[in-house]
């Protein structure tokens, strides 16, 4: 009875890891419990050092830590399923004494070899259900590797889009626009383009929540540093008589509000206004808030 309880415990541990993988990578919220806690902890630990290099490593190191924890949890879960049935449920290569392979370390070794699909063949499942369980772990290991690559390939394009938007805002600030210029149809077209870009960034924060914990070191490519200017720009843009300009101003305002809601609901939890949330976002990423 105890052996089967341990087996069920190992299955529960493995399912816990797979559930977190699913919620992080494939669920619409894209933010599993483990990844949320690890990324948040890495972010605030690195921020406490007060060095830009440490903060810049928070995102990459956090992702590596999450992947390692996924793999370790799956390995330990399957090892707990194997261990109670060793050595009787397994066959051993010639020259190996089954009595020497009864420990938990041996089960962990078997789990690592199976998950990595090495196929060494020195220890192989013999019982019918164990012969099914082993290949399932191999499939899970392959899926985990593929999912990790997909995760990385999804995060970095999202960061590129965010930094491109920040650079456009920085360039707009360097132009030194006055109220007369902001009332022109040309300015309305630029603001509409920025509103569309902000919508993409908002979606990225929702689908790739881990991207929040990547620090942008250069101010021109830091959305946290440039977004307060865009908020100020939306506030001081005069109410134009032309419908296109009026629509551009209203659309930019709505996009900024939606971005603030996303940042506050998922990361900051201030319950404040758009201005307060964006200032808090800037401060959280080491940028000076507006005075």
């Amino acid at each position: 009875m105890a052996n089967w309880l341990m087996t069920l415990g190992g299955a529960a541990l493995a399912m816990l890891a797979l559930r977190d993988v699913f919620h992080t990578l494939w669920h619409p919220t894209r933010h599993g419990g483990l990844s949320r806690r690890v990324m948040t902890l890495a972010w605030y630990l690195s921020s406490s050092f007060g060095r830009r290099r440490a903060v810049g490593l928070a995102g990459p190191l956090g992702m590596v830590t999450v992947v390692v924890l996924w793999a370790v949890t799956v390995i330990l879960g399957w090892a707990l399923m194997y261990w109670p049935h060793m050595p009787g449920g397994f066959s051993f290569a010639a020259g190996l004494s089954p009595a020497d392979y009864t420990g938990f370390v041996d089960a962990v070794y078997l789990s690592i070899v199976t998950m990595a699909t090495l196929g060494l063949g020195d220890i192989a499942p013999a019982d019918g259900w164990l012969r099914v369980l082993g290949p399932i772990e191999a499939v899970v290991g392959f899926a985990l590797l593929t999912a990790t690559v997909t995760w990385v390939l999804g995060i970095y394009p999202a960061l590129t889009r965010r930094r491109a938007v920040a650079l456009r805002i920085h360039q707009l600030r360097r132009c030194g626009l006055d109220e007369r210029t902001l009332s022109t149809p040309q300015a309305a077209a630029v603001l509409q383009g920025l509103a569309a870009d902000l919508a993409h960034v908002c979606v990225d924060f929702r689908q790739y929540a881990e991207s929040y914990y990547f620090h942008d070191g250069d101010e021109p490519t830091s959305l946290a540093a440039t977004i307060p200017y865009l908020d100020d720009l939306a506030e001081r843009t005069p109410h134009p008589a032309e419908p296109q300009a009026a629509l551009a101003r209203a659309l930019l305002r709505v996009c900024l509000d939606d971005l603030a809601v996303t940042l506050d609901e998922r990361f900051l939890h201030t319950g404040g206004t758009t201005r307060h949330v964006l200032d808090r976002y800037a401060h959280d990423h080491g940028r000076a808030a507006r005075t």
Side-chain angles (χ1 to χ4, degrees), residues 170-184:
H170 176 75
Q171 292 167 343
L172 193 63
R173 180 169 59 184
R174 289 170 57 193
C175 293
L177 302 178
D178 55 26
E179 292 188 359
R180 180 180 177 182
T181 305
L182 290 172
S183 302
T184 62

Side-chain angles (χ1 to χ4, degrees), residues 1-11 80-85 129:
M1 185 65 180
N3 288 347
W4 285 107
L5 287 176
M6 185 177 297
T7 300
L8 291 176
L80 287 174
M81 287 187 270
Y82 294 144
W83 187 26
H85 309 281
W129 72 275

Side-chain angles (χ1 to χ4, degrees), residues 87-98:
F90 296 85
S91 61
F92 296 81
L96 296 180
S97 174

Side-chain angles (χ1 to χ4, degrees), residues 130-179:
L130 287 173
R131 294 178 66 183
V132 174
L133 189 64
I136 290 176
E137 184 182 12
V139 171
V140 169
F142 180 76
L144 184 60
L145 175 61
T146 305
T148 300
V149 174
T150 303
W151 193 23
V152 173
L153 293 179
I155 285 286
Y156 281 94
L159 294 175
T160 300
R161 288 189 291 270
R162 188 176 78 192
R163 290 162 182 167
V165 174
L167 185 58
R168 290 192 65 190
I169 298 172
H170 176 75
Q171 292 167 343
L172 193 63
R173 180 169 59 184
R174 289 170 57 193
C175 293
L177 302 178
D178 55 26
E179 292 188 359

Side-chain angles (χ1 to χ4, degrees), residues 222-241:
S222 171
L223 186 64
T226 58
I227 196 66
Y229 168 78
L230 192 61
D231 184 51
D232 290 336
L233 188 66
E235 287 298 320
R236 68 183 179 89
T237 300
H239 292 276

Side-chain angles (χ1 to χ4, degrees), residues 269-284:
H269 311 294
T270 67
T273 62
T274 295
R275 180 185 180 93
H276 178 70
V277 171
L278 295 180
D279 284 344
R280 176 65 181 275
Y281 173 47
H283 181 268
D284 199 33

